[in-house]
Amino acid sequence: MSEQTQEAGSAEPRRVVVAGAGMAGVQTAVALREQGFTGSVLLVGAEPHQPYDRPPLSKAVLLGKSEGSAFDVDFEALGIELRLGCEVTGLRPGDRELDTESGPVPYDVLVVATGAEPIRLPGAEGVPGVHLLRTLDDAERLRPVLARQHDIVVVGAGWIGAEFATAAREAGCAVTVVEAAERPLAGALPAEVAAPMAGWYADAGAVLRTQARVERVEPGAVLLDDGTRLPAGAVVVGIGARPATAWLSGSGIELGEHGEIVADEHLHTTVPDVYAVGDCASFPSGRYGERLLVHHWDNALQGPRTVALNIAGRASGEPPAVYDPVPYFWSEQFGRFVQYAGHHAAADTTLWRGDPAGPAWSVCWLRGDRLVALLAVGRPRDLAQGRRLIESGTPMNPTLLADPARPLKAATA
C-alpha cells in the first residue's frame, strides 16, 4: 500500500487540511509547525467549542471541578487556522477537495482525524434522560444530573462506564451498572484478569449486574430482559465506540471491518496525499504482527508526530517514518489508577505480580521470554519500567518477574 500512497511530488505541500479538531487533529497541526512546516494549516472541527481534551470530561468537568479542558495552544501564534462548528460531509480526492457543511475546502495534503463516535443503545434514542458521554456538551448536560443525585443506570461496564460510575458515586448518586457479558471489561481483558475488578463496584457502593441485557428504556426506568425494572432518573450509555468514517463513503479510501480507515505503516491511506490518525484509523504493527485499532488518548498523541514528520519531510529525500508504538492507556476508577501497555492477544504466558484482592498488583503477558503487555493497578513503576522493556524487547526471567518485590528492570534474563 505504501508505494501506492507515496505523494505525487517531492516538494513540500502548500496547504495541509486536518479534518477533526480533537487530540489527534490538534497534535497533527502543532507537530507540523514543530517540524518546520511553513505552508498553511487549516484545522476543521465539527464542534463549536475551542478544541479540548476528552479525558477530563468523565472526571473534573463532569463533577463541576472544571468548566472545560481546552488545549493550551495558541493557534493564532502558530499560524493554524481554525474552522469550528463545521462538519465534514465527504471527500473528493480527484478534485483534492474536502466537502464540509460550509462548502468545499481544497487541500494539497489531507489528514483525517475525525475520531470515533459512541455506539447508541438501540431503541433508546429520543427517550428523555438517556445520555452519552463523549463531548463537552454531553458532560455539561450530565453535570446537573449528578448534582441532583438521581438514581442512575449505566449501560456497559467498560472503561467509560466504570469511570462514569466512579464520578456518579463521588457525587452521591445511587448507581446500577448493567453489563451484557459475564464480567466487566469483557472485550478488553481476559476473564481471570477482569474478574477481580468486579468487586470494585460493590466496594464503591455501586451495584454491578452482569449477564443483564436491556430490553427497553422508558422515561424513569430501564427494563431488563429478565423482567427486572430498574428505576432511573438518568441512563448513561457506554457500550463502545466506532470510527467516525461514514462520511468517507465513495471516496476510495479503504475501510476495515470495524469501519476504520486502513492506513499503512506510515499512516498513509489508500488515497494519495491523504493520511489518517487516531481513533478513526488502524495501522499494521510489525512489533505485534497484526493490524491494531487503538481507541485511546496516547495513540492520538503519538500518531500525529509520525504524520507530521512524513508531511514536513517529504522534500528531504529521507525515508518516511514508520508508526509502530507500544499502545498505552490509563483509567481512574473506584479509587484505583489502572494502566495498560502493549497488546496481549498473542501472549503465551500470564504472570501475576501481587495479590489481585489487594490495592496494588500487576499482570504481565509474555510471548516466549519477551514481555508484550502489562496491566498495572496502583503500581505505576511497574508500568513505566514494563513499557520500556516491551519497547526494547529485552528477554525476561519469568521466575524473577513474578516476584512483586523485585523491580521489573531487575527481572531480565
Side-chain angles (χ1 to χ4, degrees), residues 31 41 44 48-49 51 76 87 94 152 156 171 191-192 210 256 277 285 287 300 306 339:
V41 178
V44 180
H49 311 288
E76 184 176 359
E87 190 165 351
I152 293 177
E192 68 273 16
T210 56
V277 68
S285 170
R287 185 189 310 275
T306 298
Q339 295 172 284

Side-chain angles (χ1 to χ4, degrees), residues 140-217:
E140 289 179 344
R141 280 189 289 266
L142 276 164
R143 193 155 60 183
V145 173
L146 297 194
R148 290 193 294 269
Q149 297 187 332
H150 279 300
D151 289 345
I152 293 177
V153 173
V154 180
V155 183
W159 300 112
I160 191 66
E163 290 184 4
F164 178 81
T166 299
R169 285 298 300 139
E170 186 176 332
C173 300
V175 178
T176 300
V177 181
V178 297
E179 168 58 51
E182 61 185 13
R183 62 184 186 277
L185 295 167
L189 296 173
E192 68 273 16
V193 178
M197 299 176 177
W200 298 356
Y201 289 78
D203 292 345
V207 176
L208 173 64
R209 296 184 62 122
T210 56
Q211 295 182 294
R213 295 186 177 276
V214 175
E215 182 72 27
R216 69 179 185 275
V217 179

Side-chain angles (χ1 to χ4, degrees), residues 20-27 43 47 49-62 66-73 75 133-140 160 163 279 295-302 304 330 332:
M23 169 62 84
V26 167
Q27 289 300 320
L43 189 61
E47 294 183 59
H49 311 288
Q50 277 291 113
Y52 62 88
D53 203 6
R54 293 190 189 277
L57 297 184
S58 60
K59 306 171 184 71
V61 175
L62 189 61
S66 172
E67 289 304 310
S69 55
F71 291 113
D72 185 18
V73 175
F75 294 100
L133 180 53
R134 182 74 180 181
T135 68
L136 180 59
D137 289 340
D138 292 336
E140 289 179 344
I160 191 66
E163 290 184 4
D279 289 4
H295 281 191
H296 292 296
W297 185 91
D298 192 66
N299 179 53
L301 175 67
Q302 303 295 340
W330 80 95
E332 297 177 68

Side-chain angles (χ1 to χ4, degrees), residues 208-239:
L208 173 64
R209 296 184 62 122
T210 56
Q211 295 182 294
R213 295 186 177 276
V214 175
E215 182 72 27
R216 69 179 185 275
V217 179
E218 57 188 38
V222 173
L223 280 79
L224 304 182
D225 61 358
D226 66 358
T228 302
R229 186 178 188 276
L230 302 174
V235 179
V236 176
V237 179
I239 55 175

